[in-house]
Amino acid sequence: MLKIDGITRRFGDVTALDGVSLEIGQGEFFALLGPSGCGKTTLLRILAGFETPDAGAVTLDGSDLLGLPPNKRPISLMFQSYALFPHMSVAKNVAYGLEREKLPKSEIKQRVSEVLETVGLAEHGNRRPNQLSGGQRQRVALARSIVKRPRLLLLDEPLSALDKKVRADMQLELKRLQHEVGITFVVVTHDQEEAMSLADRIAVFDRGNVRQVDQPVALYERPRTRFVADFVGANNLFEGTAGGQDALETEGFGRLPGTPLDGVEEGAKALLGVRPEKVRLGEPDDAKGLRGSVLDVSFYGGVSHLSVDVPGQPKPVLVAVQGASTTQPGAEVGLSWEPQDAVIIPVGQ
């Protein structure tokens, strides 16, 4: 539905976007994920019409989008701050865009009523924004965005102002609403958990470039670049050379088991990534794996995180185990994993 082709945007000496190309399908929940300053919000502003690219094209259903002014694009943008009118009621906030289009009052009333019902605010239509909780204000902003029935809804860090529990509830709510209203959602976020829980597909941005586009599980389990492996979730990274079909050859640790990505040539410089939950704790004299001493144990309710100092590894190895760990700081442990649980990535990608 949406095709972004070679979009470049520069601000003086800074290249915010460097030839970015993406394709987003009808009804898809698509996330733009990356650290601050990577270009994802600039791309969102270009789609909304608030920025003009230096090069490239954007088409919506095959028609040029960049030639249309912002108010003529079939797109809604939900701002990070929500930008609600404080002097207007919830219903008036939601109706504002429809009133500007001079639609019949009966149609406006019906559509506002329907969308407030959809977001669970049917009983709050007469309240002002300052009488609502953060989560409710977020729903009003969302209702105002979808009441115009856009082809595309852009969300800029939509949940960043909410506390953790409300944010988790609203993630489920956003996903439900997206399926219910059938609008294509594009969300900008630096929160990996948010992107992974919401999106059908994720584009990972780094310094104005797209490093990988994939479904959440594939992105997590099979990162194709060093940046993605390090940025998306916690990861233990080891450097060496590809040692065939199931190992990385390292100077300090010998052969470490792993599965190479397609295109990794034997003998080439490579990186092995293994997630903390895939690392097994064992006895320190276990000949199959690494050996180290436990630096710290942190309990997070359903899972414990252990930080293990392995001589020769610049960063501690992270291990995640279910429940409360009985291992104490200072204990000597062995670490191992199965080849299919680690991925070997070409260095330089």
Side-chain angles (χ1 to χ4, degrees):
M1 185 189 85
L2 182 72
K3 186 173 182 180
I4 299 163
D5 188 15
I7 289 293
T8 297
R9 182 70 172 109
R10 297 183 182 89
F11 298 95
D13 295 334
V14 177
T15 300
L17 295 169
D18 189 9
V20 168
S21 296
L22 292 169
E23 292 189 5
I24 300 171
Q26 170 64 40
E28 192 169 21
F29 203 130
F30 196 91
L32 310 179
L33 173 67
S36 298
C38 68
K40 55 191 188 298
T41 297
T42 300
L43 180 59
L44 205 73
R45 290 176 59 82
I46 287 171
L47 297 179
F50 302 144
E51 293 280 354
T52 302
D54 298 309
V58 180
T59 58
L60 185 67
D61 293 327
S63 300
D64 176 42
L65 187 68
L66 298 181
L68 296 175
N71 63 319
K72 298 295 184 184
R73 299 185 184 191
I75 290 174
S76 284
L77 171 60
M78 184 176 142
F79 292 98
Q80 184 176 353
S81 63
Y82 308 151
L84 300 177
F85 298 115
H87 63 289
M88 292 184 183
S89 68
V90 166
K92 279 288 188 182
N93 265 282
V94 175
Y96 183 79
L98 302 179
E99 291 172 348
R100 296 285 293 176
E101 293 180 357
K102 295 182 168 45
L103 295 180
K105 287 186 177 180
S106 58
E107 183 180 347
I108 292 174
K109 186 176 180 180
Q110 180 184 347
R111 283 170 64 171
V112 169
S113 176
E114 288 174 353
V115 77
L116 287 179
E117 186 74 39
T118 299
V119 300
L121 292 175
E123 305 297 321
H124 296 75
N126 293 323
R127 294 191 181 183
R128 298 285 177 89
N130 64 0
Q131 296 175 302
L132 304 177
S133 68
Q136 288 171 329
R137 286 196 293 271
Q138 200 257 8
R139 294 184 193 197
V140 177
L142 189 61
R144 188 178 60 183
S145 298
I146 65 178
V147 75
K148 292 184 69 175
R149 298 171 184 169
R151 296 296 317 284
L152 185 66
L153 175 59
L154 309 176
L155 303 104
D156 185 11
E157 303 276 4
L159 309 180
S160 62
L162 306 178
D163 63 55
K164 187 171 183 178
K165 187 176 187 313
V166 175
R167 188 161 67 240
D169 291 341
M170 286 309 302
Q171 286 173 359
L172 295 175
E173 186 76 3
L174 269 181
K175 193 71 174 173
R176 179 188 70 79
L177 279 169
Q178 195 263 341
H179 283 300
E180 192 168 303
V181 300
I183 297 170
T184 301
F185 280 28
V186 177
V187 59
V188 158
T189 181
H190 65 272
D191 187 319
Q192 302 156 34
E193 289 185 8
E194 186 170 295
M196 302 283 275
S197 65
L198 288 175
D200 300 312
R201 286 192 303 146
I202 300 170
V204 181
F205 278 68
D206 173 38
R207 291 174 292 182
N209 293 278
V210 176
R211 299 302 181 191
Q212 186 171 343
V213 181
D214 234 323
Q215 295 177 348
V217 173
L219 195 70
Y220 186 80
E221 294 186 348
R222 308 288 287 174
R224 294 199 293 267
T225 71
R226 175 192 285 268
F227 176 81
V228 175
D230 199 27
F231 181 74
V232 178
N235 217 340
N236 298 299
L237 301 176
F238 298 87
E239 295 186 352
T241 57
Q245 292 300 309
D246 62 355
L248 180 85
E249 296 285 358
T250 68
E251 287 187 12
F253 312 119
R255 287 174 65 87
L256 297 179
T259 303
L261 293 171
D262 293 339
V264 178
E265 297 181 3
E266 187 172 355
K269 285 187 176 181
L271 195 71
L272 181 143
V274 58
R275 299 290 183 182
E277 67 273 14
K278 299 296 185 182
V279 180
R280 293 196 306 257
L281 284 177
E283 296 300 321
D285 56 355
D286 187 351
K288 294 180 181 178
L290 307 177
R291 177 175 175 159
S293 60
V294 177
L295 295 175
D296 182 62
V297 180
S298 301
F299 180 55
Y300 292 92
V303 65
S304 293
H305 291 178
L306 288 80
S307 179
V308 181
D309 177 41
V310 175
Q313 180 69 353
K315 286 185 176 181
V317 175
L318 302 177
V319 184
V321 297
Q322 289 298 313
S325 175
T326 57
T327 307
Q328 298 297 316
E332 294 290 319
V333 294
L335 306 175
S336 62
W337 57 86
E338 297 298 325
Q340 67 270 20
D341 290 335
V343 62
I344 298 174
I345 306 159
V347 169
Q349 289 201 27

